């Protein structure tokens, strides 16, 4: 009975989304995107698309998303949005971060990316345009990946803060007490593998087309670079996501080292009370702000 009700609710929701989608104006980018996608399929092998295509998507999006935060440090006006205003990293330290990132990306992550083709072949994951999922199904599956990754990240991240493990692995990521966007994937190689596993669990469970790999990569990079940006920018569209943690939530983790272990959402920290120090801190800051008014 419960299963039938769940299916009925899901079907109704799907029909509602389809109806709303039918009312929207035709997407002018769909035809160019379709032509570009088919051009890629006609000119490159599946191995090239899954491996080198995924690498290009990751590298291009990662450093593209880092550009705004990098430029903000040279714009005095943006200092009003900086969370830890009294702390900034030198260009030398940022260069060190960049070099470590390149090592992690090409020596740790690239071998994992090379398995993408074999994963899609083993599970018969389609590449063709005809089986491309609709935008709302991509959104739902991407959200599912985010929830799975967030759960894995919370518990494993919290474990890496254990006193017997912290100094050997996670301490590398905490070299920067005031985070900046490019530092999002600055980590010990073992941490890259341990926490990165959460990224792949959703892919294993939810992928029904190769496009989901790239959509999920794009969302995860955008989110992790945002929470590490060090800036709380108003009208951030990511704040429209229910329970989204945001940059202030994660910035406090870097400043305080204890609590706020989740990557994307706030519910695990709230359930286990690991956001208590953050809540106390924000209340203290609000009271201090009122006194200065």
């Amino acid at each position: 009975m419960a299963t039938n009700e769940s299916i009925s609710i899901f079907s109704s929701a799907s029909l509602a989304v389809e109806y709303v989608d039918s009312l929207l104006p035709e997407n002018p980018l769909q035809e160019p995107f379709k032509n570009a996608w088919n051009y890629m399929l006609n000119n490159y092998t599946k191995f090239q698309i899954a491996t080198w295509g995924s690498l290009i998507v990751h590298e291009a999006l990662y450093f593209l998303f880092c550009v705004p935060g990098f430029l903000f440090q040279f714009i005095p006006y943006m200092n009003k949005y900086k969370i830890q205003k009294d702390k900034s990293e030198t260009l030398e330290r940022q260069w060190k971060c960049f070099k470590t990132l390149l090592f992690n990306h090409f020596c740790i992550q690239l071998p994992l990316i090379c398995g993408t083709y074999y994963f899609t072949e083993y599970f018969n994951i389609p590449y063709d345009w005809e089986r491309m999922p609709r935008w709302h199904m991509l959104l739902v599956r991407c959200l599912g990946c985010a929830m799975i990754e967030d759960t894995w990240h919370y518990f494993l991240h919290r474990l890496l803060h254990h006193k017997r493990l912290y100094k050997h692995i996670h301490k590398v990521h905490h070299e920067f007490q005031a985070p900046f966007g490019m530092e999002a994937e600055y980590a010990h190689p073992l941490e890259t593998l341990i926490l990165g596993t959460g990224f792949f669990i959703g892919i294993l469970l939810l992928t029904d087309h190769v496009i989901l790999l790239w959509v999920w990569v794009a969302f995860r990079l955008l989110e992790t670079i945002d929470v590490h940006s060090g800036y709380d920018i108003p009208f951030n569209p990511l704040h429209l996501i229910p329970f989204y943690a945001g940059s202030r939530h994660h910035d406090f983790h870097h400043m305080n080292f204890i609590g706020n272990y989740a990557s994307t959402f706030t519910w695990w920290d709230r359930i286990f009370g690991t956001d208590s120090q953050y809540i106390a801190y924000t209340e203290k800051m609000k009271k201090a702000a009122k006194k200065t008014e």
Side-chain angles (χ1 to χ4, degrees):
M1 179 69 73
T3 303
N4 291 335
E5 288 179 358
S6 298
I7 293 172
S8 178
I9 292 171
F10 180 80
S11 299
S12 299
S14 181
L15 287 172
V17 172
E18 288 281 359
Y19 175 71
V20 172
D21 190 30
S22 68
L23 298 178
L24 295 175
E26 186 175 346
N27 183 357
L29 298 177
Q30 181 168 324
E31 195 62 27
F33 180 66
K34 175 183 178 181
N35 293 336
W37 189 268
N38 285 327
Y39 176 86
M40 178 183 71
L41 293 178
N42 293 331
N43 289 275
Y44 300 97
T45 65
K46 287 184 177 181
F47 179 83
Q48 291 172 324
I49 293 169
T51 305
W52 305 118
S54 297
L55 177 66
I56 291 169
V57 167
H58 181 274
E59 295 304 296
L61 291 180
Y62 189 90
F63 291 107
L64 177 65
F65 293 155
C66 287
V67 168
F70 178 77
L71 295 178
F72 288 165
Q73 65 185 315
F74 304 112
I75 305 173
Y77 176 80
M78 297 306 297
N79 194 56
K80 65 189 289 188
Y81 301 121
K82 186 170 172 56
I83 300 169
Q84 297 187 55
K85 292 181 172 59
D86 59 333
K87 295 185 178 70
S88 59
E89 293 298 342
T90 64
L91 291 176
E92 288 77 14
R93 295 254 294 167
Q94 291 179 58
W95 175 244
K96 176 190 176 184
C97 174
F98 177 75
K99 289 187 291 184
T100 301
L101 279 176
L102 291 182
F103 174 82
N104 284 346
H105 286 180
F106 289 95
C107 297
I108 307 297
Q109 294 181 10
L110 179 57
L112 297 176
I113 291 173
C114 286
T116 304
Y117 166 74
Y118 301 100
F119 161 73
T120 60
E121 286 295 290
Y122 183 81
F123 289 101
N124 294 316
I125 305 299
Y127 288 64
D128 58 282
W129 175 264
E130 288 69 27
R131 284 180 284 180
M132 179 86 69
R134 299 293 296 276
W135 66 269
H136 46 83
M137 293 310 299
L138 274 175
L139 188 64
V140 168
R141 288 177 180 271
C142 191
L143 179 61
C145 287
M147 294 171 67
I148 293 168
E149 191 282 332
D150 183 72
T151 301
W152 177 272
H153 190 102
Y154 175 84
F155 291 103
L156 273 296
H157 182 195
R158 189 173 176 180
L159 178 63
L160 289 177
H161 272 266
H162 190 281
K163 60 183 179 180
R164 293 186 178 179
L165 294 175
Y166 175 78
K167 65 181 179 180
H168 300 294
I169 301 175
H170 193 51
K171 186 178 180 180
V172 174
H173 185 66
H174 277 278
E175 283 183 25
F176 302 98
Q177 191 174 357
F180 51 94
M182 191 168 57
E183 189 243 352
E185 291 187 347
Y186 179 85
H188 189 285
L190 278 177
E191 178 173 340
T192 300
L193 292 172
I194 293 169
L195 295 186
T197 298
F199 174 87
F200 292 102
I201 295 174
I203 289 175
L204 289 170
L205 296 176
L206 299 175
T207 300
D208 62 346
H209 193 280
V210 74
I211 190 65
L212 179 69
L213 305 179
W214 294 353
V215 172
W216 170 222
V217 164
F219 175 80
R220 178 64 181 133
L221 291 182
L222 181 62
E223 176 275 325
T224 192
I225 290 169
D226 175 59
V227 302
H228 284 91
S229 67
Y231 290 86
D232 186 16
I233 308 298
F235 310 114
N236 184 339
L238 290 175
H239 291 166
L240 296 174
I241 301 172
F243 304 103
Y244 180 66
S247 55
R248 286 194 177 275
H249 188 272
H250 192 71
D251 202 279
F252 180 81
H253 173 76
H254 276 263
M255 181 179 70
N256 192 60
F257 291 96
I258 298 172
N260 291 12
Y261 298 111
S263 61
T264 307
F265 304 107
T266 57
W267 51 60
W268 288 117
D269 283 296
R270 183 58 53 87
I271 289 169
F272 290 100
T274 46
D275 60 353
S276 58
Q277 293 186 23
Y278 172 65
I279 292 172
Y281 173 79
T282 54
E283 288 299 319
K284 178 182 176 181
M285 296 302 292
K286 285 178 183 178
K287 290 177 181 178
K290 287 181 179 179
K291 289 181 180 179
T292 59
E293 288 178 354

